[in-house]
Amino acid sequence: MKKDIHPEYQTVKSVCSTCSTEFTFGSTVSKFSVDVCSGCHSFYTGDKSMARATGRIERFNRMAAFAKNLKK
Ligand SMILES: [Zn+2]
């Protein structure tokens, strides 16, 4: 390996901002952040709550009624 041309390989700790799972891995960057990981992403958990395709109009009307009540 040639000297003084390679970035420093180090152990990096990263925390998922959604589920607070801590990861340790090797990288050449010193700081690393993730918004979503395999522990909390709906693709891996099978949770359908993030993909809400139906009932959007009903939800909007419910929120509009709630906002109207707040102004009174
Ligand atoms: Zn996560």
Side-chain angles (χ1 to χ4, degrees):
M1 203 162 89
K2 215 171 186 180
K3 279 185 179 178
D4 301 327
I5 61 161
H6 297 283
E8 190 185 337
Y9 188 76
Q10 56 201 327
T11 304
V12 182
K13 270 188 183 173
S14 177
V15 178
C16 175
S17 58
T18 304
C19 68
S20 302
T21 304
E22 197 171 282
F23 298 95
T24 307
F25 52 92
S27 178
T28 55
V29 294
S30 58
K31 208 174 177 188
F32 205 90
S33 67
V34 289
D35 294 332
V36 67
C37 70
S38 61
C40 60
H41 194 279
S42 57
F43 180 81
Y44 299 99
T45 60
D47 188 18
K48 296 275 197 308
S49 66
M50 283 178 81
R52 190 182 291 123
T54 57
R56 296 183 96 178
I57 295 166
E58 288 85 353
R59 186 169 185 268
F60 174 81
N61 288 334
R62 200 168 66 238
M63 296 290 274
F66 181 73
K68 204 174 178 183
N69 286 340
L70 284 180
K71 287 176 184 172
K72 282 178 187 174

